[in-house]
Amino acid sequence: MRVLGVLGGMGPAATVAFLARVQALTPATGDQDHIRMLVDINPQVPDRNRAPQAADDMLGEMAARLREAGAQILAMPCNTAHAQSTGLRGIGLPFIDMIAETTAVATEGEVKKVGVLATPGGEALYTAALSSNGAKIVRLVGANRQAFTACIAAVKRGDTGKAPRAEMRRLAAALVASGAERVIAGCTEVPLLLGPKDVSVPLIDSADVLARACVKACR
Amino acid sequence: MRVLGVLGGMGPAATVAFLARVQALTPATGDQDHIRMLVDINPQVPDRNRAPQAADDMLGEMAARLREAGAQILAMPCNTAHAQSTGLRGIGLPFIDMIAETTAVATEGEVKKVGVLATPGGEALYTAALSSNGAKIVRLVGANRQAFTACIAAVKRGDTGKAPRAEMRRLAAALVASGAERVIAGCTEVPLLLGPKDVSVPLIDSADVLARACVKACR
């Protein structure tokens, strides 16, 4: 087994949900069967939208420290932060790319239009990745963009109640109404509000895809 | 704010539940308000009962690596492993002692008999700590000792269903029937099966006590 290094804290609750997902996906009859994870839950990573270079530098430093502590493979359960991954990709460890893994799963078969629930930064990454895989993005527009940001902010202040859940269901439905054949939960806060049963087309949860890839890579 | 180093993996699910508890107990309106946590979820720590010295050495190494990675305060959400804490106590960082913190809370007021749901190793630590605080331990005896071990093993293989929950309720009730005025959930797997409403006397959850102490120490 290999040691998984996790760059986390963006946000904190999403990271813990990701760790639980990795454990749930690991076949285990006792402690020893589980993957060792070295995790930096750092909620003070500079804002990825406002200070991208500072965030990139910080993530590179975090990755180097995880490597020194014994990590052998890296993963980062935050879609948006993948735009600031130059530093961490340069430290000499394999990095499991959440955007690439999720896009590969979302475009399996004959899929032309894929809805994406993500921040503007995450949306840009998925637009490029989907395009490389021959698919087009269906994105949130107008007031729905602000509504999405408000839902994510709710999770980050600890609110995963009925109101943000209903709102996230509505946003997913808007993507489907615009032609999305599948919807990517492309922000790790999304699955804390939205499950597969809440969407009328297949929901591809980026955190779940990444967790599966990590279990496969480490065991 | 100070960086919390967490020695985890004993067991894995209990560690993740502990991290979620720390976050839930932290007043936050956004990511930045949360505590940074450097976490080693190491499910391969040698068996604390069968190879205590090897476990002690490994925990000391883990603590030193967390210190190198930036941890400023240490905590270990595993009661049993506190018997193997010589190494980690020697690395020069403050260590929040889960047994001491929990015993202090459990013996507040005029309490003479405290029930403990713990492994044999954890029980020994609580026996000494309670005695120092002027209280006596009420422990699981006979077949209930094996029943407890079976419950913990169930959690470790991912089973937190009705059967182990009912069994853990029965074990807590047995301690109360033997005179316990309070019951300590003295193994971090216990709260995954048992809540305050399941016990007729106050339940002192060691994971909750430790999480509160960590939030207080780091903020």
Side-chain angles (χ1 to χ4, degrees):
Chain A
M1 280 207 280
R2 296 205 277 176
V3 179
L4 182 67
V6 179
L7 295 122
M10 306 160 281
T15 301
V16 171
F18 172 76
L19 301 175
R21 194 83 62 111
V22 170
Q23 291 178 357
L25 289 168
T26 306
T29 56
D31 289 357
Q32 311 275 336
D33 300 323
H34 280 279
I35 295 164
R36 182 173 183 180
M37 294 191 273
L38 284 162
V39 191
D40 188 347
I41 303 179
N42 184 1
Q44 282 87 43
V45 172
D47 190 291
R48 277 72 72 199
N49 296 305
R50 283 180 231 157
Q53 189 55 52
D56 202 313
D57 294 346
M58 169 75 87
L59 291 168
E61 280 172 35
M62 286 162 63
R65 284 173 180 233
L66 289 174
R67 181 194 60 203
E68 294 315 306
Q72 295 166 300
I73 294 179
L74 294 177
M76 179 164 64
C78 172
N79 290 276
T80 313
H82 278 63
Q84 283 80 47
S85 57
T86 311
L88 72 91
R89 285 178 203 264
I91 66 143
L93 288 186
F95 172 61
I96 305 180
D97 187 310
M98 189 180 208
I99 309 288
E101 296 283 339
T102 304
T103 301
V105 172
T107 55
E108 275 169 11
E110 287 292 312
V111 179
K112 290 294 164 204
K113 295 176 87 177
V114 178
V116 175
L117 294 168
T119 64
E123 227 176 39
L125 296 170
Y126 277 110
T127 301
L130 286 168
S131 173
S132 300
N133 282 257
K136 275 196 173 171
I137 189 171
V138 179
R139 63 178 81 216
L140 297 170
V141 288
N144 282 347
R145 160 63 39 217
Q146 282 75 50
F148 179 82
T149 305
C151 284
I152 300 307
V155 175
K156 285 180 183 291
R157 66 170 183 269
D159 177 8
T160 53
K162 279 188 187 176
R165 283 178 187 276
E167 193 67 349
M168 194 59 84
R169 274 201 306 277
R170 189 184 67 72
L171 295 172
L175 294 176
V176 175
S178 299
E181 300 156 73
R182 290 175 184 176
V183 170
I184 290 176
C187 174
T188 45
E189 269 82 16
V190 172
L192 305 182
L193 298 175
L194 190 78
K197 288 178 187 171
D198 297 322
V199 192
S200 62
V201 300
L203 179 70
I204 315 297
D205 175 356
S206 59
D208 186 69
V209 171
L210 182 62
R212 285 177 196 278
C214 289
V215 172
K216 196 176 161 190
C218 291
R219 278 173 63 93
Chain B
M1 280 208 280
R2 296 206 276 176
V3 178
L4 181 66
V6 179
L7 296 122
M10 305 160 281
T15 301
V16 170
F18 171 76
L19 301 175
R21 194 83 63 111
V22 170
Q23 292 177 356
L25 290 167
T26 306
T29 57
D31 289 357
Q32 310 276 335
D33 301 324
H34 280 280
I35 295 163
R36 182 173 183 180
M37 294 192 273
L38 285 162
V39 190
D40 189 347
I41 303 179
N42 185 0
Q44 281 88 42
V45 171
D47 190 291
R48 279 70 74 197
N49 298 305
R50 283 180 231 157
Q53 189 56 52
D56 202 313
D57 294 346
M58 168 75 87
L59 291 168
E61 280 172 35
M62 286 163 61
R65 284 173 178 231
L66 289 174
R67 181 193 62 203
E68 294 316 306
Q72 295 166 302
I73 295 178
L74 294 178
M76 179 163 63
C78 171
N79 290 277
T80 312
H82 278 63
Q84 283 81 47
S85 58
T86 311
L88 70 92
R89 286 178 201 264
I91 66 144
L93 288 186
F95 172 61
I96 306 179
D97 188 310
M98 188 179 208
I99 308 288
E101 296 283 338
T102 303
T103 302
V105 171
T107 56
E108 275 168 12
E110 287 293 310
V111 179
K112 290 293 162 204
K113 295 176 88 177
V114 177
V116 175
L117 294 168
T119 63
E123 227 176 39
L125 295 170
Y126 277 110
T127 301
L130 286 167
S131 172
S132 301
N133 283 257
K136 274 196 173 169
I137 190 171
V138 179
R139 64 179 81 215
L140 296 170
V141 288
N144 283 346
R145 162 60 41 218
Q146 282 75 49
F148 178 83
T149 305
C151 285
I152 300 307
V155 175
K156 285 181 185 291
R157 64 170 183 268
D159 177 8
T160 55
K162 279 188 186 176
R165 283 177 187 276
E167 192 66 349
M168 194 59 84
R169 274 201 307 277
R170 189 184 66 74
L171 295 171
L175 293 175
V176 176
S178 299
E181 301 156 72
R182 291 175 184 176
V183 171
I184 291 175
C187 175
T188 46
E189 270 82 17
V190 172
L192 304 182
L193 297 175
L194 191 78
K197 289 177 186 170
D198 297 322
V199 192
S200 62
V201 301
L203 179 70
I204 316 297
D205 175 358
S206 59
D208 188 69
V209 171
L210 181 62
R212 285 176 196 278
C214 289
V215 172
K216 196 175 163 190
C218 291
R219 278 174 63 94

